[in-house]
């Protein structure tokens, strides 16, 4: 079992990896299925070596994996890793929504009270 510090470090690496637009585009492409470095490099005006470095960052962050399929080395998105990021975000989003609902209810009550006092 990972400690909170390990989980925080993993989360930090994932968000840092996703801070780059090229890496986000790679993740978006991989959400449609595995791809080789050549396939991932095609839409970008950067070298295959640069794309490989981006993939290494994503691998280090635990967001993608590579496998060997004969001569191909496809890159795969780790959906579970993205789910962990989504769960972390959702926890705080739900807290914020709860606070806004409470504020809305309070404002509604205040508005209703002012309307009945006139």
């Amino acid at each position: 079992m990972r400690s909170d510090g390990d989980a925080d470090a993993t989360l930090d690496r994932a968000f840092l990896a996703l801070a780059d637009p090229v890496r986000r585009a790679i993740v978006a492409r991989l959400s449609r299925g595995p791809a080789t470095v050549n396939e991932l490099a095609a839409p970008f005006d950067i070298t295959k070596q640069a794309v490989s470095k981006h993939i290494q960052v994503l691998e280090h962050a635990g967001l993608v994996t590579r496998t060997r399929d004969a001569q191909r080395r496809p890159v795969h998105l780790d959906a579970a890793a993205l789910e962990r990021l989504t769960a972390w975000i959702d926890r705080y989003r739900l807290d914020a929504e709860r606070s806004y609902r409470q504020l809305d209810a309070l404002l509604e009550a205040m508005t209703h009270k002012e309307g009945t006092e006139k």
Side-chain angles (χ1 to χ4, degrees), residues 95-116:
D95 287 346
E97 286 178 1
R98 193 174 307 110
S99 295
Y100 286 125
R101 281 194 301 273
Q102 290 171 345
L103 180 58
D104 286 345
L106 177 62
L107 292 173
E108 178 67 29
M110 289 173 65
T111 302
H112 184 264
K113 182 178 178 182
E114 287 176 5
T116 58

Side-chain angles (χ1 to χ4, degrees), residues 49-74:
Q49 183 180 7
V51 170
S52 287
K53 287 184 179 188
H54 283 295
I55 292 168
Q56 287 174 353
V57 171
L58 291 167
E59 278 183 302
H60 182 68
L63 297 172
V64 302
T65 58
R66 291 190 214 203
T67 58
R68 183 171 294 282
D69 180 16
Q71 294 299 315
R72 295 183 69 223
R73 296 242 4 221

Side-chain angles (χ1 to χ4, degrees), residues 19-102:
D20 185 277
V22 171
R23 291 192 288 267
R24 287 193 306 273
I26 290 170
V27 167
R29 166 53 189 85
L30 291 174
S31 71
R32 297 190 313 267
T36 64
V37 172
N38 287 340
E39 293 166 338
L40 293 171
F44 301 108
D45 191 25
I46 58 177
T47 65
K48 286 184 220 169
Q49 183 180 7
V51 170
S52 287
K53 287 184 179 188
H54 283 295
I55 292 168
Q56 287 174 353
V57 171
L58 291 167
E59 278 183 302
H60 182 68
L63 297 172
V64 302
T65 58
R66 291 190 214 203
T67 58
R68 183 171 294 282
D69 180 16
Q71 294 299 315
R72 295 183 69 223
R73 296 242 4 221
V75 182
H76 305 267
L77 184 63
D78 184 343
L82 287 182
E83 182 59 37
R84 287 189 293 274
L85 294 177
T86 302
W88 184 87
I89 291 168
D90 278 348
R91 182 174 70 220
Y92 295 103
R93 181 185 56 80
L94 292 171
D95 287 346
E97 286 178 1
R98 193 174 307 110
S99 295
Y100 286 125
R101 281 194 301 273
Q102 290 171 345

